[in-house]
């Protein structure tokens, strides 16, 4: 028994050592892939249906941490993408939702009125930047380390999924203007699209699926095909991975989220989303092999969040599940309070109208505490607390800690609450057959964590890791400084 233990220990240490690089040695290219709304269990669920060149190749040749959890709430797109690349949480990087409040006014996470669209006249789609991001990313640190010789590019269907991963110091981020069927950027990055983007857009604009579906392209696996085409065009157009310094390509696939919100986590639509994406991953890996070389690039696979099974599907199979409606709760509590003191509820966070409190000569803390009291009376709410009172609130440590990691003063609201497991905010905007996300539960918080390529051995580990560990691990392998608000752990392959 003792001999077996020594042998196993030696093997684990050897695997860990294989993954280490010497000082000054780096891969030619870093590739980050984030799949929007990808639950971890999709990897084993579809494994036998995947082809050999996509997800299965990542798993069969790479290293998978099978218990990677998001360690904050809410679990939504902009926060997830930002946390993967910054190695930290909203408490530090400031991106605390897709939508939040700045100086008391509602704001979209990457909206920026100081910039203009580039490649389109669509103001709504193009006036975007990472200015609300308060921390550096992997790409930012890479650029700083190489005196800005490294190239960092972000690409996605969604603006926020291209912008925040690439960071504030990126060379470019490109996202889809679905109205004009092309990839665009903003004057934050440049004043004119590069020639290779213009050439790639000719293919994008003429894509038959895009022509047919128009603004609904996100509801089709074809969106993934278009995203992959653009990623490969960037690889070639920017000559990534062929310079003297390490470059970075950040690719996010969003159709999986759009389709999931519409059709849920089960059925032919979900199957097609992931089986078609598998082909796109294979195509991207082939292009990377050809341009950069097998084993010459370091790639990681992540997700920004998971998703719950549709509550009606759960009810049909006799599970406890249900619908939580803020559009019904807000008027009820405001009626009790005597005015519209609840300005908004976003991602299970209550935003109080402080100006109204002042105008009506009401004590803010009294209004806040009364709202907490009323929320606790809701049968589907298990915990509710004012952010400022969280350290003293009786609730499980896990919920308190995740709530505090997700809280940024002035942006995250005043109160947070937690519905029962499998109870979700399904408002009028939600598809009756679809899903959503946003909470701490494993279906929302358990995501893929796979490393592949340069200095990565084959293997897997069941140990608990966190979304904040991606950045620390990549930067440790590169021997560069972690992002400036990183709280993650640099993982050593072979750890249990």
């Amino acid at each position: 028994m003792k001999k077996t233990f020594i042998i196993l220990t030696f093997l684990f240490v050897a695997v860990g050592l294989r993954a280490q690089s010497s000082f000054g040695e780096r891969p030619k290219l870093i590739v980050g892939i984030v799949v929007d709304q990808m639950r971890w269990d999709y990897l084993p669920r579809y494994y036998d249906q995947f082809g050999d060149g996509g997800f299965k190749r990542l798993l069969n040749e790479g290293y998978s941490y099978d218990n990677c959890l998001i360690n904050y709430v809410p679990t939504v797109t902009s926060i997830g993408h930002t946390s993967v690349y910054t190695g930290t949480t909203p408490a530090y990087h400031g991106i605390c939702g897709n939508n939040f409040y700045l100086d008391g006014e509602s704001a979209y996470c990457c909206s920026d009125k100081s910039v203009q669209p580039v490649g389109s006249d669509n103001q709504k789609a193009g006036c975007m930047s990472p200015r609300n991001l308060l921390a550096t990313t992997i790409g930012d640190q890479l650029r700083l380390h190489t005196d800005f010789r490294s190239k960092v590019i972000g690409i996605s269907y969604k603006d926020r999924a291209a912008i925040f991963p690439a960071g504030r110091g990126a060379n470019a981020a490109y996202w889809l203007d679905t109205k004009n069927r092309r990839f665009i950027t903003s004057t934050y990055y440049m004043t004119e699209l590069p020639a290779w983007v213009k050439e790639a857009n000719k293919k994008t604009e003429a894509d038959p699926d895009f022509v047919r579906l128009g603004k609904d392209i996100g509801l089709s696996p074809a969106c993934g095909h278009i995203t992959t085409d653009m990623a490969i065009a960037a690889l070639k157009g920017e000559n990534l991975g062929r310079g003297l310094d390490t470059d970075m390509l950040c690719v996010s696939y969003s159709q999986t989220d759009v389709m999931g919100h519409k059709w849920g986590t089960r059925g032919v639509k979900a199957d097609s989303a992931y089986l078609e994406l598998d082909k796109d991953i294979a195509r991207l890996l082939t292009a990377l092999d050809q341009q950069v070389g097998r084993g010459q690039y370091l790639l990681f696979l992540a997700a920004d969040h998971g998703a719950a099974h549709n509550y009606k599907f759960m009810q049909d199979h006799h599970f406890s599940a249900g619908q939580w409606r803020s559009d019904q709760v807000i008027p009820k509590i405001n009626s009790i309070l005597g005015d519209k003191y609840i300005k908004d509820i976003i991602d299970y966070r209550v935003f109080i109208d402080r100006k109204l409190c002042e105008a009506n000569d009401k004590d803010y803390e009294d209004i806040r505490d009364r709202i907490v009291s009323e929320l606790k009376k809701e049968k589907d709410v298990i915990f509710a607390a004012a952010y400022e009172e969280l350290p003293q609130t009786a609730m499980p440590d896990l919920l308190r800690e995740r709530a505090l990691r997700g809280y940024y003063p002035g942006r995250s609201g005043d109160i947070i609450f937690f519905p029962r497991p499998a109870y979700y905010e399904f408002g009028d905007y939600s598809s009756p057959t679809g899903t959503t996300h946003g909470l701490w539960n494993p279906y929302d918080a358990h995501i893929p964590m796979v490393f592949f390529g340069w200095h990565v051995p084959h293997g897997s580990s069941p140990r608990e890791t966190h979304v904040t560990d991606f950045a620390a691990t990549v930067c440790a392998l590169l021997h560069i400084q972690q992002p400036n608000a990183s709280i993650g752990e640099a993982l050593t392959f072979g750890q249990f």
Side-chain angles (χ1 to χ4, degrees):
M1 183 67 182
K2 184 177 180 181
K3 183 178 180 181
T4 302
F5 176 78
I6 292 172
I7 292 172
L8 287 173
T9 301
F10 173 79
L11 288 174
F12 292 153
V13 170
V15 168
L17 289 173
R18 277 181 57 203
Q20 303 309 304
S21 57
S22 61
F23 263 65
E25 184 186 6
R26 297 187 185 92
K28 295 180 179 180
L29 179 68
I30 309 297
V31 182
I33 298 177
V34 178
V35 181
D36 204 323
Q37 203 184 109
M38 187 175 187
R39 295 164 53 114
W40 169 83
D41 63 351
Y42 286 152
L43 289 174
R45 175 176 174 80
Y46 292 113
Y47 182 83
D48 290 338
Q49 299 176 65
F50 287 146
D52 291 332
F55 286 116
K56 188 177 286 188
R57 180 182 170 192
L58 297 181
L59 293 169
N60 289 350
E61 297 179 25
Y63 198 95
S64 175
Y65 281 98
D66 294 335
N67 193 24
C68 180
L69 302 175
I70 294 173
N71 53 353
Y72 55 79
V73 287
T75 47
V76 297
T77 297
S78 63
I79 305 179
H81 282 84
T82 307
S83 296
V84 166
Y85 286 88
T86 61
T88 192
T89 72
Y92 304 96
H93 62 57
I95 303 302
C96 50
N98 298 334
N99 297 279
F100 46 85
Y101 278 76
L102 286 171
D103 301 322
E105 300 296 326
S106 179
Y108 176 60
C109 58
C110 51
S111 179
D112 186 351
K113 294 180 180 178
S114 72
V115 301
Q116 291 296 310
V118 174
S120 168
D121 59 358
N122 188 342
Q123 296 280 316
K124 184 177 180 181
C127 295
M128 304 290 168
S129 86
R131 290 193 203 277
N132 289 327
L133 175 60
L134 305 179
T136 59
T137 62
I138 301 169
D140 289 337
Q141 295 301 139
L142 187 61
R143 295 266 288 159
L144 285 165
H145 190 85
T146 63
D147 290 330
F148 301 95
R149 293 186 301 272
S150 294
K151 293 181 180 180
V152 177
I153 308 290
I155 291 169
S156 183
Y157 161 88
K158 293 182 180 180
D159 45 41
R160 57 188 181 269
I163 289 170
F164 292 130
R168 293 188 63 140
N171 297 82
Y174 302 103
W175 56 94
L176 268 179
D177 172 3
T178 56
K179 180 181 177 182
N180 293 299
R181 301 200 309 275
R182 66 184 68 156
F183 281 94
I184 64 172
T185 188
S186 78
T187 51
Y188 179 89
Y189 305 98
M190 63 191 71
T191 57
E192 185 177 358
L193 292 177
W196 70 263
V197 177
K198 294 178 182 178
E199 192 63 31
N201 273 337
K202 292 178 182 178
K203 181 179 178 181
T204 303
E205 291 166 13
D207 184 274
D209 289 308
F210 211 165
V211 171
R212 175 173 57 87
L213 294 168
K215 293 181 180 180
D216 290 330
I217 188 65
L219 290 170
S220 168
C223 183
H225 307 336
I226 291 168
T227 302
T228 305
D229 289 343
M230 183 61 172
I232 294 173
L235 185 69
K236 297 177 180 178
E238 294 288 348
N239 215 23
L240 299 178
R242 288 187 169 179
L244 296 177
D245 296 284
T246 303
D247 297 320
M248 185 164 193
L249 178 62
C250 311
V251 185
S252 178
Y253 290 98
S254 305
Q255 74 280 359
T256 43
D257 181 75
V258 182
M259 294 176 72
H261 280 291
K262 180 73 172 178
W263 292 297
T265 60
R266 289 290 186 268
V268 296
K269 295 293 187 180
D271 295 348
S272 68
Y274 285 93
L275 296 181
E276 285 297 307
L277 176 58
D278 180 55
K279 298 174 185 176
D280 284 319
I281 298 293
R283 195 156 57 91
L284 180 58
L285 292 177
T286 297
L288 289 165
D289 289 345
Q290 292 172 348
Q291 170 142 333
V292 187
R294 291 177 72 104
Q296 298 302 308
Y297 56 92
L298 172 65
L299 180 148
F300 62 83
L301 171 70
D304 53 350
H305 53 74
H309 296 312
N310 177 270
Y311 74 95
K312 291 183 179 179
F313 165 84
M314 296 289 279
Q315 290 173 347
D316 289 344
H317 291 82
H318 309 293
F319 292 102
S320 172
Q323 185 180 31
W324 200 90
R325 295 290 297 263
S326 63
D327 58 349
Q328 295 176 0
V329 173
I330 292 174
K332 180 171 69 174
I333 296 180
N334 278 339
S335 176
I336 293 170
L337 297 175
D339 211 332
K340 296 179 179 179
Y341 292 105
I342 297 180
K343 183 162 50 176
D344 212 343
I345 293 180
I346 305 174
D347 301 325
Y348 312 97
R349 299 168 299 178
V350 179
F351 293 77
I352 297 173
D353 191 333
R354 299 196 183 204
K355 291 182 179 179
L356 183 61
C357 291
E358 294 178 6
N360 290 347
D361 197 26
K362 295 288 186 180
D363 181 69
Y364 158 75
E365 291 186 0
D366 177 62
I367 293 294
R368 182 197 67 191
D369 293 344
R370 288 177 65 187
I371 294 172
V372 170
S373 178
E374 292 301 323
L375 282 170
K376 288 180 176 179
K377 295 176 185 177
E378 293 292 317
K379 64 181 179 66
D380 298 327
V381 172
I382 53 175
F383 296 103
Y387 273 112
E388 294 170 345
E389 300 297 320
L390 268 173
Q392 296 82 40
T393 300
M395 69 168 59
D397 289 342
L398 182 147
L399 299 188
R400 180 187 300 105
E401 290 168 2
R402 293 193 184 185
L404 287 171
R405 290 192 192 104
Y407 174 65
Y408 192 89
R411 295 188 179 189
S412 296
D414 305 276
I415 297 165
I416 188 167
F417 61 94
F418 297 92
R420 290 195 284 170
Y423 277 72
Y424 268 89
E425 172 75 49
F426 272 91
D428 293 332
Y429 59 85
S430 300
S431 164
T433 58
T435 183
T436 191
H437 50 85
L439 292 166
W440 65 274
N441 310 75
Y443 41 74
D444 279 355
H446 188 187
I447 61 171
M449 183 183 225
V450 181
F451 295 91
F452 171 87
W454 184 82
H455 283 259
V456 177
H458 172 54
S460 65
S461 171
R463 65 162 288 193
E464 181 176 318
T465 57
H466 301 105
V467 65
T468 48
D469 296 335
F470 280 99
T473 302
V474 171
C475 289
L477 285 168
L478 296 178
H479 297 296
I480 65 173
Q481 187 60 269
Q482 295 180 14
N484 62 13
S486 175
I487 61 170
E489 176 184 354
L491 304 173
T492 300
F493 306 116
Q495 286 179 311
F496 276 77

